[in-house]
């Protein structure tokens, strides 16, 4: 069953028995997809709230940071962060961090596989959606994405390649 083990209030960690497999029932797959969405939404809210608070301390209004403006402002680098925020961000994007290449690429792939089940054609549609997502992220960012995004894009592509090779 798709259960999440609560490690601390800000992060849900999936127990090892929730591995995404083609043998899952529709209800198990649906529960896992919802679990993955909820965890991602919680982590995104945590990150954006932290950054908006940082920006507000520097006199930048939350209203000016709506939608893609948030990402364009992040890309601009026209702000400073305190040592605690910087350390949290560095940990989050580290090799083993929630937003690091390994976890992020695996999370994208697991989501695709949870939606597709064992249907290769649906996996191809999911991969096309992932490609479109990276394009949209670049547009929202307003320029070249940070290198970690390219590394993640490459890593998720390899996971799809391995999946097709194993069919």
């Amino acid at each position: 069953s798709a259960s999440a083990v609560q490690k601390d209030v800000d992060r849900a960690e999936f127990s090892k028995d929730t591995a995404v497999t083609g043998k899952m029932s529709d209800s198990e797959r649906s529960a896992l997809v919802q679990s993955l969405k909820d965890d991602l939404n919680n982590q995104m809210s945590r990150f954006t709230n932290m950054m908006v608070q940082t920006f507000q301390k520097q006199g930048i209004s939350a209203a000016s940071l709506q939608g893609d403006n948030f990402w364009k402002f992040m890309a601009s680098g026209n702000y400073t962060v305190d040592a605690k925020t910087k350390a949290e961000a560095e940990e989050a994007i580290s090799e083993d961090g929630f937003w690091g290449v390994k976890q992020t690429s695996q999370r994208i792939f697991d989501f695709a596989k949870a939606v597709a089940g064992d249907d290769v054609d649906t996996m191809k549609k999911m991969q096309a959606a992932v490609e479109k997502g990276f394009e949209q992220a670049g547009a929202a960012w307003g320029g070249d994405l940070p290198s970690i995004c390219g590394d993640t894009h490459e890593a998720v592509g390899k996971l799809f390649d391995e999946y097709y090779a194993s069919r």
Side-chain angles (χ1 to χ4, degrees):
S1 70
S3 60
V5 178
Q6 210 57 31
K7 191 172 178 185
D8 64 46
V9 256
D10 292 320
R11 169 181 246 125
E13 301 238 339
F14 297 103
S15 54
K16 298 295 174 231
D17 66 342
T18 62
V20 181
T21 69
K23 312 273 182 280
M24 298 174 87
S25 70
D26 288 349
S27 63
E28 286 172 328
R29 194 171 12 270
S30 176
L32 179 61
V33 167
Q34 192 56 53
S35 225
L36 290 166
K37 280 183 181 178
D38 290 346
D39 191 43
L40 182 60
N41 287 335
N42 290 340
Q43 291 292 337
M44 275 303 295
S45 293
R46 181 177 181 222
F47 170 75
T48 53
N49 289 341
M50 175 180 72
M51 293 311 298
V52 166
Q53 286 171 7
T54 296
F55 299 155
Q56 285 177 321
K57 288 177 191 164
Q58 295 167 52
I60 298 137
S61 75
S64 70
L65 298 171
Q66 298 303 308
D68 286 354
N69 288 340
F70 175 83
W71 299 109
K72 285 182 173 60
F73 188 72
M74 288 284 299
S76 77
N78 295 332
Y79 53 87
T80 55
V81 294
D82 60 45
K84 180 178 180 279
T85 302
K86 183 178 181 187
E88 281 184 32
E90 285 174 346
E91 182 196 331
I93 65 169
S94 69
E95 187 178 345
D96 293 317
F98 184 87
W99 297 109
V101 172
K102 194 171 17 174
Q103 281 198 47
T104 301
S105 61
Q106 190 66 53
R107 200 167 38 252
I108 292 168
F109 180 78
D110 285 351
F111 184 82
K113 196 168 177 200
V115 170
D118 219 14
D119 183 339
V120 174
D121 289 339
T122 305
M123 275 300 271
K124 288 181 178 168
K125 289 176 188 163
M126 294 304 296
Q127 187 175 18
V130 167
E131 292 303 313
K132 186 174 181 180
F134 276 100
E135 286 173 27
Q136 291 172 334
W141 191 254
D144 289 339
L145 289 167
S147 62
I148 191 172
C149 298
D151 294 346
T152 301
H153 191 182
E154 190 178 314
V156 78
K158 284 181 183 166
L159 290 171
F160 276 104
D161 291 345
E162 289 166 11
Y163 168 84
Y164 299 129
S166 72
R167 303 310 320 128

